[in-house]
Structures are given as C-alpha cells and as structure tokens.
Amino acid sequence: MFAYNRSADSPNRAELLATRDHMAARGPDGLGEWWSEGRRLGLGHRHLAIFNLLGRVGQPMTSACGRYGVVFNGEIYKYPELRGPLEAQGRKFQTTSDTEVLLHLYALKSAEMVQRLRDMLEFAIWDNRARGLFLARDHNSIRPLYTANGR
C-alpha cells in the first residue's frame, strides 16, 4: 500500500495485514511485512515454499544497504546465470535466492533490468533514496499484478 499523494494518510497497518492475510491459502508457508522510512509505503507478502523449503529467505526483502525493498511472486528459473555476472562485478549476496538477484539487478540497471527477465513473475521494488515504487510483471502476463487507486 502506497500513499503517493503527500496529503494522503499513511497506509493503515491493519488494512495491509488483512489484505496480505486474505491470500493465506496461496501462501501458507510464511508471511512478512515491511515499511518504508516515513511509513508512506507498506509491503506485505505471503510465501508458498517451492524452492525455498526451509524458509530461510523472508519477504519482503531489503537490500544490504537498506536502499531497496522488494516483494516478489514467481520464479526466476535461470537466476544463477544472472547472479554469476553480478558477483563478478563485486556484488555481495546474503542469500541464495532469486529475490535477492532482483534487488541487485535493479540497483544496477533500474527499470531496464526487466529486459533480462523471461520468467513467470511479478514484483514491486521501493527505492528509499528516490522515494519511488517500481512495479513489473512478466511479459506474458502469467502472474497477475493488480493496482487500485483509493479505498
């Protein structure tokens, strides 16, 4: 939930959690929430364990520097092929997840990073410094991404 208009109230935590928990059947294996500085943006996430069966990688995830926050639904099947060049450029990873690959790609390429992704996915990335939200989904629209304006 994003209060993008300066005159808008900050998002309501109870509403964010209710929205997130409404999807419990599609993500029964984990949950999380994250708030931007100033609480103008709240990200909620439900997790279905397919690849990450041990639950070691929670979402929403933030970058090590704290600049970016992400929620991600989907799979990046060839993420090791994307991760290798990032590591070669000196990027340090805290996890083995495809979610963290998204954060590093966005930090380097901004919106252009979607050209590197050919998988089933949708995600939202918040940039604390730019105070902006980037939304994307796969080019075949396999994973849904819904937005709404207002209450």
Side-chain angles (χ1 to χ4, degrees):
M1 297 185 153
F2 182 28
Y4 58 87
N5 188 316
R6 292 180 193 261
S7 66
D9 292 333
S10 293
N12 180 290
R13 181 173 185 254
E15 186 178 0
L16 176 75
L17 298 182
T19 303
R20 178 200 68 191
D21 294 342
H22 187 71
M23 297 180 285
R26 295 195 39 86
D29 301 319
L31 54 86
E33 71 178 283
W34 177 83
W35 293 91
S36 68
E37 295 174 14
R39 296 185 69 88
R40 302 299 292 169
L41 173 83
L43 300 175
H45 189 267
R46 294 295 308 202
H47 178 71
L48 173 63
I50 296 173
F51 294 124
N52 178 28
L53 299 177
L54 299 177
R56 289 188 297 239
V57 180
Q59 284 195 53
M61 179 184 281
T62 57
S63 60
C65 66
R67 179 174 175 177
Y68 305 103
V70 65
V71 287
F72 166 56
N73 177 33
E75 295 85 28
I76 303 174
Y77 298 110
K78 296 182 180 184
Y79 77 92
E81 294 174 20
L82 297 170
R83 181 183 171 129
L86 292 167
E87 289 176 315
Q89 293 175 35
R91 294 284 171 168
K92 304 291 185 210
F93 285 78
Q94 309 281 322
T95 71
T96 58
S97 76
D98 52 356
T99 305
E100 190 175 9
V101 169
L102 283 177
L103 287 171
H104 286 285
L105 281 173
Y106 189 78
L108 284 174
K109 302 283 186 185
S110 191
E112 292 178 22
M113 56 92 79
V114 297
Q115 303 303 320
R116 312 271 323 267
L117 305 172
R118 296 284 179 249
D119 302 282
M120 296 186 308
L121 54 86
E122 55 88 9
F123 60 90
I125 296 179
W126 173 254
D127 182 334
N128 267 323
R129 186 177 307 151
R131 306 191 66 67
L133 181 65
F134 178 70
L135 304 172
R137 68 177 185 190
D138 59 86
H139 64 282
N140 290 320
S141 303
I142 296 169
R143 298 285 181 178
L145 177 63
Y146 301 105
T147 63
N149 190 4
R151 293 199 176 248

